[in-house]
Amino acid sequence: METLNAAELLAALGHESRLAIFRLLVEAGPDGINASAIGEQLGMVPATLSFHLAHLSRVGLIAGERESRFIHYSANYSTMDDLIAFLTSNCCQGNACLPKAACCDTTEKRRAKAGVKS
């Protein structure tokens, strides 16, 4: 991942509403949830929600898929995984300094722990 791309992703997550949306979609799992459910759970009006969803979609952190009249959103786990790998690569010159992330300090280890095949 390029530094500019990582900065763009982090900037998108740097807003309280977008971070809340992204965390909700991560918790929802690969199936995701529709926009109206996101709005209800986070107490956001449709126009504001739409603005933030568009921003997260534009940078590639989430994806939306139309299902009849509704749009179903889900987190883009591959992008999230790449960002985490970028942030933790070569951390502390290879020494274990992040106890919560030690078991998952590379993309391969995180995917293996989650049971995801590369």
Side-chain angles (χ1 to χ4, degrees):
M1 174 174 286
E2 300 283 328
T3 301
L4 184 59
N5 185 241
E8 195 173 53
L9 296 172
L10 291 169
L13 293 172
H15 188 280
E16 181 180 0
S17 295
R18 287 191 291 270
L19 182 58
I21 292 167
F22 186 70
R23 291 191 68 203
L24 180 67
L25 290 173
V26 168
E27 289 173 16
D31 293 336
I33 53 178
N34 68 43
S36 61
I38 297 169
E40 287 173 16
Q41 290 186 38
L42 298 177
M44 286 187 194
V45 296
T48 302
L49 177 63
S50 178
F51 171 81
H52 292 304
L53 288 169
H55 190 96
L56 291 168
S57 291
R58 188 170 44 257
V59 299
L61 284 166
I62 67 171
E65 188 175 321
R66 183 167 293 281
E67 293 179 0
S68 68
R69 299 181 322 157
F70 304 99
I71 300 178
H72 203 81
Y73 288 94
S74 59
N76 185 336
Y77 291 95
S78 177
T79 301
M80 181 180 75
D81 196 28
D82 290 343
L83 180 59
I84 292 168
F86 174 82
L87 292 172
T88 58
S89 68
N90 303 316
C91 182
C92 298
Q93 301 175 350
N95 296 318
C97 62
L98 301 170
K100 292 181 182 176
C103 68
C104 304
D105 61 353
T106 66
T107 302
E108 292 78 23
K109 286 182 184 177
R110 277 191 304 284
R111 289 182 179 166
K113 185 176 181 187
V116 178
K117 294 185 180 188
S118 298

